[in-house]
Amino acid sequence: MLLALLFAYGVLNGILQGFGIMPYLGLTTPTLEYYTEALTRSDLISSILFSLYVAAASSVLATMGGVTLSAVITRLRVGRTGRLASVQIPIMTAHTVVALSVISLFSGSGLLARVLNSIGVIGSQADFPTVVGSSQGWAIILVYLWKEIPFVAFSTFAIMGSISDRFSEAASSLGASPLRTFFAVTVPLSSPAIAKSFLIVFAFAFGSYEVPLLLGSTLPRALPVLAYIEYSSPELLDRAHAMALNGIMSFITLILAWLYLRIIQRERRGR
Amino acid sequence: MRVFFGIYLLVVFVPLSTIAVWAFVDRWPWPNLLPSALSTRGLAEIFNGHAPIGGVLARSILIAVAVSVLCIVIASLSARALVFYEFLGKDLFRFATILPFIVPAAVFAMGIQVAFLRVGLGGTMLGVIIAHTVVALPYAIGIMTDVMAAAGPRLEEQSRVLGASRRQTLVHVTVPSLLPGILASASMAYIVSFSQYFLTLLVGGGSMKTFAVVMFPFLSSGDRTIAASYSLVFLVSTFAVFLLFEWILKKLGMRETRSLFL
């Protein structure tokens, strides 16, 4: 509870700074100036769109992949070592480490480019398509997929396992194919867990800073990167700009969270 | 389906092996498929170079362990409240437990930095531990809530009916039945804390360097052999801690019932 308060205080403090209230700089009058400046900057819309696009692509693909992986693990009755290798090791690996391996695989001088060069598909490093630092965010999405597919599988595995134990026999004795059973029984029953992990992945991919900083393009920049650049500027007043960007960022995620809660509640009532 | 799983495992391990190879690369000019010279220069540099990593590594592990212990205690109590009791503002509390998932960590970090500096927590280990706990807690609470809901109150009631005291019930029934969940949340919290870069950088300032903070600049630019060496040490050390947790689980007789995480 105390930590929740602390968290709220941190966020609130940030929001207040966005309105220009920074007692340590002698500023106490609230102003909308920083928000107006943040909202009217030319690169804001493209940053928001870029972050939303990366988050949406990562979370949709990761959820589909994670649910599939979870189903495959359940069905194949993968043993401990298999689960360790397929789910636990990726969860243990830091995002930044994955980013490094994406660089060493997919950059212009990366392993894939070398392989393509040796079989004569491309002639030089410049022929290799831009993956790292591309304005399409390929490399960022790759990192999130590698990390979050196992995470989704981890979050849905337990519930899907118990559902398939209980219901799949009933469904198949009633003549349903395994695929049909999966989509008609297992997925709907585990949808709260799936929805929750989807939201977590989306919010994480939208708001985290490390991966887009390492792998992103300079134009457009991801929203958190934009905020950090303002925050770390030697001009202390720029912090207010950063906080205004943070405020916008939180606002977007809070709307999404509200939508999510609405969906969950409707589902509960529906049962 | 087997083929799918096989391909998937390949996708997991190819990137990890590239890291492992790069850590020992001395020279690897374009467009060679294999490195032309190998050495242990990278590992030597981080362990015995200008800034030996040993102390930083020990500090990071200490912080992460403290975070997991805090998380287990708070998460167990919160999960208990959420699963077994009805109270005013329960929905609000439930919402608060997932809030750190939703609000970007960067927002929290930038907001809390100044506040921590003012109360003297900025740049201290305690400050870093508290900040990490805030972001790791939702994972731990999530796992503990699931485990507790699955275990249910029945075993405890049985034990009380059979005449066990509250303490006996706690020690012999409640804790053992929740142990896999406790260890799973502990290792999740450990991982979250150990790999936390941005929050640590802001709250810890320049003085509280953790492994993730020291590693980061090398990843974005510069010597890839050094960067890969850091990453390799990172992987090996988290994996070692994970194996330790598994070993504890096994020692306590919790085999196969519910493995760590899954």
Side-chain angles (χ1 to χ4, degrees):
Chain A
M1 206 60 213
L2 211 65
L3 286 167
L5 283 178
L6 180 73
F7 181 77
Y9 178 74
V11 173
L12 202 71
N13 194 31
I15 291 170
L16 283 180
Q17 288 188 39
F19 288 110
I21 301 178
M22 293 194 280
Y24 54 95
L25 288 181
L27 297 174
T28 46
T29 7
T31 163
L32 282 173
E33 186 190 327
Y34 305 106
Y35 270 93
T36 354
E37 274 177 35
L39 283 169
T40 49
R41 58 188 289 165
S42 54
D43 51 356
L44 179 75
I45 297 295
S46 62
S47 278
I48 290 181
L49 289 179
F50 180 72
S51 285
L52 280 177
Y53 148 75
V54 166
S58 313
S59 52
V60 169
L61 293 174
T63 306
M64 295 194 316
V67 169
T68 315
L69 177 63
S70 176
V72 168
I73 290 177
T74 316
R75 220 156 138 93
L76 287 178
R77 302 194 181 283
V78 171
R80 265 166 61 86
T81 329
R83 279 178 291 170
L84 177 77
S86 60
V87 176
Q88 287 154 324
I89 286 185
I91 287 183
M92 277 186 275
T93 311
H95 281 87
T96 46
V97 171
V98 187
L100 178 71
S101 54
V102 165
I103 293 175
S104 61
L105 283 171
F106 293 102
S107 69
S109 62
L111 198 58
L112 193 65
R114 287 167 200 255
V115 171
L116 289 178
N117 176 270
S118 72
I119 55 175
V121 177
I122 60 169
S124 73
Q125 295 186 24
D127 296 341
F128 191 72
T130 318
V131 175
V132 176
S134 98
S135 54
Q136 308 289 309
W138 296 120
I140 306 175
I141 295 173
L142 276 175
V143 172
Y144 286 141
L145 288 185
W146 195 91
K147 274 290 293 175
E148 312 315 347
I149 287 177
F151 176 76
V152 173
F154 159 62
S155 325
T156 53
F157 177 82
I159 182 139
M160 277 176 76
S162 72
I163 288 168
S164 91
D165 281 350
R166 259 186 291 163
F167 295 105
S168 66
E169 220 168 296
S172 63
S173 65
L174 290 171
S177 71
L179 210 62
R180 177 125 188 259
T181 314
F182 179 70
F183 283 111
V185 179
T186 312
V187 169
L189 281 178
S190 39
S191 63
I194 296 174
K196 189 173 176 189
S197 48
F198 172 81
L199 181 80
I200 294 172
V201 173
F202 187 96
F204 188 88
F206 184 74
S208 86
Y209 149 91
E210 291 97 328
V211 182
L213 183 77
L214 288 172
L215 300 174
S217 61
T218 43
L219 211 102
R221 284 202 172 95
L223 202 50
V225 177
L226 210 61
Y228 183 68
I229 291 173
E230 290 286 352
Y231 189 76
S232 56
S233 134
E235 188 68 57
L236 272 177
L237 267 180
D238 276 342
R239 287 203 173 179
H241 291 124
M243 293 306 176
L245 287 172
N246 277 341
I248 296 167
M249 204 149 68
S250 316
F251 183 67
I252 295 173
T253 45
L254 279 176
I255 290 179
L256 294 166
W258 179 74
L259 280 175
Y260 159 80
L261 281 178
R262 282 285 302 272
I263 295 169
I264 295 277
Q265 269 171 354
R266 189 173 304 162
E267 231 164 58
R268 263 196 210 142
R269 245 178 272 138
R271 263 190 222 152
Chain B
M1 233 185 254
R2 280 186 187 285
V3 177
F4 172 86
F5 194 64
I7 294 174
Y8 171 78
L9 283 183
L10 211 63
V11 171
V12 168
F13 280 97
V14 167
L16 291 178
S17 2
T18 10
I19 295 276
V21 171
W22 260 108
F24 297 102
V25 164
D26 197 27
R27 265 172 299 124
W28 195 352
W30 167 268
N32 296 2
L33 275 183
L34 293 172
S36 53
L38 296 176
S39 74
T40 54
R41 170 177 72 86
L43 288 172
E45 173 67 30
I46 55 178
F47 280 109
N48 304 317
H50 312 296
I53 199 69
V56 174
L57 193 59
R59 178 193 293 149
S60 309
I61 293 175
L62 183 68
I63 291 175
V65 168
V67 170
S68 13
V69 172
L70 268 176
C71 275
I72 298 168
V73 174
I74 303 172
S76 310
L77 297 176
S78 317
R80 218 182 150 74
L82 283 174
V83 174
F84 296 140
Y85 301 99
E86 288 301 325
F87 54 91
L88 199 68
K90 184 174 175 176
D91 280 334
L92 190 70
F93 184 66
R94 195 195 297 278
F95 184 65
T97 59
I98 61 161
L99 210 54
F101 275 146
I102 297 162
V103 177
V107 176
F108 169 63
M110 293 183 204
I112 207 72
Q113 186 196 21
V114 178
F116 268 22
L117 281 175
R118 206 177 305 149
V119 294
L121 282 171
T124 65
M125 190 181 277
L126 185 64
V128 174
I129 291 173
I130 293 174
H132 282 185
T133 307
V134 171
V135 288
L137 203 51
Y139 295 95
I141 292 182
I143 295 171
M144 287 308 289
T145 320
D146 287 351
V147 174
M148 258 186 218
R154 266 184 251 149
L155 270 178
E156 277 179 44
E157 282 165 10
Q158 286 279 352
S159 137
R160 296 281 289 153
V161 166
L162 290 170
S165 70
R166 268 178 198 284
R167 233 189 102 244
Q168 282 173 318
T169 308
L170 182 72
V171 174
H172 296 291
V173 178
T174 313
V175 171
S177 71
L178 297 177
L179 201 64
I182 291 176
L183 281 174
S185 3
S187 47
M188 201 68 182
Y190 181 92
I191 293 161
V192 171
S193 164
F194 197 73
S195 44
Q196 201 66 232
Y197 160 73
F198 188 63
L199 189 57
T200 322
L201 183 73
L202 287 195
V203 172
S207 51
M208 265 300 133
K209 286 205 167 73
T210 63
F211 194 77
V213 172
V214 175
M215 175 170 81
F216 193 80
F218 290 98
L219 299 174
S220 52
S221 60
D223 196 328
R224 195 171 295 167
T225 303
I226 307 266
S229 304
Y230 271 112
S231 304
L232 189 63
V233 173
F234 185 99
L235 289 173
V236 170
S237 57
T238 23
F239 194 60
V241 172
F242 170 79
L243 287 181
L244 183 75
F245 276 142
E246 282 270 276
W247 180 77
I248 295 173
L249 205 60
K250 208 177 240 174
K251 257 279 184 275
L252 292 169
M254 296 280 153
R255 298 184 55 223
E256 280 303 323
T257 42
R258 241 190 113 191
S259 158
L260 212 47
F261 286 136
L262 296 179

